């Protein structure tokens, strides 16, 4: 009996290392390309709206900051960086910048610090009626900012305001102030209104984060002799750090806009520019004083300032996330 062996075809035993895989052909390949086209078509309207209402206005602000223009005439004169050079000698702009930084520091520290404290108390301490307290503290976030401005304007009223009226009732007449008319007090009066508006929202966010921490971690730390304060700094705070980091950046950006609305509604930037902030000063220059190019230069500074602060906060608060 004879057995005939057929040699294998040339190159059958060689490896094809380094050779890219053959493209998928047939219905599977066409299906993937079709899915990609479908996703692109679905994203196109959103990208178009983003470019139209976000990218193009931002580019226009940068472009207009290089011109002198009243905003109404057809004559525009290119001045380069002269608008930015004028900002360095503008005392009102420097004061508005100082007020903005003051509000960001004071309101951010107070809001997030008190929000963390109240959230820890509401979560860890078994308070009677804690749901009612949470509801009351959250109400200001539902109200319009203009309504909040009207409420605090009435509270700060020199003659019939709640604050001065309470001081008179307590025979503390010496502590009465013109809260929105004193150049040294007005910016802190606005800061209190911002704190009242934002506190409940961030308290609820931190409560939801703290509610997800396993109770076993607190029980184990209590067995090790950790007090309530030690548990907060060693257990609670590290485990909600990513949430705290996100809300910190978000609050800094939103506080810039919130301060503008409250200043416009409560003081209009007065007295004598003592409560002016960057956005309100930009609005005044661009739409009241008809210095549109100069106002857009202030807008560029606000954009760069917000971006730089967000970047610094993100870098300063970066740490390895903890999991449980």
């Amino acid at each position: 009996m004879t057995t005939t062996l057929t040699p294998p075809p040339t190159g059958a035993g060689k490896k094809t290392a380094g050779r890219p895989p053959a493209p998928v052909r047939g219905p599977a390949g066409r299906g993937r390309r079709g899915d990609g086209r479908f996703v692109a078509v679905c994203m196109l309207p959103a990208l178009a709206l983003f470019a139209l209402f976000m990218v193009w206005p931002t580019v226009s602000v940068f472009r207009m900051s290089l011109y002198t223009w009243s905003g109404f005439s057809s004559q525009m004169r290119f001045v380069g960086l002269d608008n930015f050079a004028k900002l360095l000698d503008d005392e009102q702009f420097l004061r508005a910048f100082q007020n903005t930084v003051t509000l960001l520091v004071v309101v951010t520290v107070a809001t997030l610090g008190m929000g963390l404290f109240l959230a820890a108390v509401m979560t860890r301490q078994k308070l009677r009626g804690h749901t009612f307290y949470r509801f009351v503290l959250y109400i200001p976030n539902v109200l319009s900012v203009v309504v909040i401005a009207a409420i605090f304007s009435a509270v700060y009223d020199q003659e019939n305001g709640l604050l001065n009226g309470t001081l008179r009732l307590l025979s503390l007449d010496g502590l009465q102030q013109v809260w929105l008319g004193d150049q040294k007090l007005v910016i802190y009066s606005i800061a209190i209104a911002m704190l009242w508006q934002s506190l409940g929202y961030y308290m609820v966010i931190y409560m939801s984060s703290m509610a997800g921490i396993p109770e076993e971690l607190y029980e184990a730390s209590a067995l090790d002799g950790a007090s309530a304060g030690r548990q907060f700094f060693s257990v609670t705070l590290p485990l909600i750090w990513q949430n705290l980091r996100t809300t910190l950046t978000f609050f800094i950006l939103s506080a810039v806009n919130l301060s503008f609305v409250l200043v416009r509604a409560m003081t209009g930037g007065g007295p004598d520019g003592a409560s002016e902030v960057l956005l309100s000063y930009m609005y005044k220059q661009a739409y009241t004083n008809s210095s549109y190019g100069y106002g857009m230069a202030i807008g560029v500074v606000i954009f760069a300032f917000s971006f730089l602060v967000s970047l610094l906060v993100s870098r300063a608060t970066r740490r390895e996330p903890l999991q449980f």
Side-chain angles (χ1 to χ4, degrees):
M1 186 175 188
T2 304
T3 303
T4 303
L5 298 177
T6 304
T10 304
K14 296 180 180 181
K15 296 182 179 179
T16 59
R19 183 178 301 175
V24 179
R25 302 181 183 275
R30 289 194 298 270
R32 293 177 184 177
R33 290 194 297 270
D35 292 342
R37 294 193 191 99
F38 176 76
V39 172
V41 170
C42 291
M43 292 179 61
L44 187 59
L47 291 176
L49 292 175
F50 178 78
L52 180 62
F53 294 105
M54 293 295 294
V55 177
W56 174 246
T58 302
V59 173
S60 297
V61 168
F62 278 82
R63 182 177 62 88
M64 291 305 305
S65 67
L66 304 177
Y67 289 85
T68 294
W69 184 41
S70 65
F72 300 99
S73 67
S74 59
Q75 297 179 354
M76 298 171 55
R77 183 167 61 90
F78 180 80
V79 294
L81 299 178
D82 288 354
N83 287 328
F84 297 95
K86 288 171 56 178
L87 291 176
L88 300 178
D89 298 325
D90 190 342
E91 294 184 359
Q92 292 184 348
F93 167 77
L94 297 177
R95 192 172 191 179
F97 185 84
Q98 180 183 1
N99 289 338
T100 301
V101 173
T102 300
L103 285 176
L104 288 182
V105 173
V106 173
V107 179
T108 300
V109 172
T111 301
L112 301 190
M114 294 180 64
L116 282 171
F117 173 76
L118 291 174
V121 171
M122 295 286 187
T123 305
R124 299 299 306 155
Q125 305 297 325
K126 305 302 181 181
L127 295 178
R128 294 184 59 184
H130 67 278
T131 303
F132 174 75
Y133 299 144
R134 181 172 59 182
F135 171 74
V136 170
L137 289 171
Y138 189 77
I139 283 179
N141 187 257
V142 180
L143 300 177
S144 169
V145 180
V146 178
V147 173
I148 292 174
I151 291 173
F152 274 88
S153 295
V155 169
Y156 290 138
D157 186 84
Q158 182 180 359
E159 299 296 332
N160 303 313
L162 176 63
L163 187 53
N164 281 345
T166 303
L167 292 175
R168 282 195 299 268
L169 184 63
L170 299 175
S171 300
L172 299 174
D173 295 0
L175 298 179
Q176 297 183 59
Q177 302 289 337
V178 186
W179 302 101
L180 296 180
D182 192 320
Q183 294 189 22
K184 296 181 179 179
L185 295 177
V186 61
I187 198 67
Y188 298 102
S189 300
I190 294 174
I192 293 174
M194 293 177 63
L195 171 64
W196 189 73
Q197 192 273 342
S198 306
L199 180 59
Y201 175 76
Y202 290 94
M203 180 197 70
V204 171
I205 289 180
Y206 296 144
M207 285 182 65
S208 63
S209 298
M210 294 177 186
I213 301 176
E215 186 66 27
E216 292 80 4
L217 297 178
Y218 292 105
E219 294 176 354
S221 61
L223 292 176
D224 291 336
S227 62
R230 183 67 176 175
Q231 289 178 344
F232 175 78
F233 288 104
S234 299
V235 178
T236 304
L237 199 58
L239 291 177
I240 67 168
W241 185 259
Q242 294 302 316
N243 191 358
L244 176 63
R245 182 179 177 219
T246 303
T247 55
L248 178 60
T249 304
F250 175 75
F251 181 79
I252 290 175
L253 296 177
S254 62
V256 175
N257 298 321
L258 178 61
S259 63
F260 164 68
V261 179
L262 287 175
V263 165
R264 289 289 301 175
M266 293 176 66
T267 65
D272 195 23
S275 63
E276 204 79 78
V277 293
L278 285 177
L279 275 176
S280 64
Y281 189 62
M282 182 198 76
Y283 182 88
K284 182 177 294 185
Q285 290 296 324
Y287 301 106
T288 303
N289 297 340
S290 298
S291 300
Y292 195 82
Y294 189 61
M296 294 305 99
I298 301 174
V300 172
V301 172
I302 296 172
F303 178 86
F305 173 72
S306 302
F307 179 80
L308 181 60
V309 170
S310 301
L311 181 62
L312 292 176
V313 168
S314 179
R315 292 289 180 87
T317 57
R318 180 182 299 174
R319 59 184 296 179
E320 291 293 331
L322 299 179
Q323 298 180 354
F324 50 84

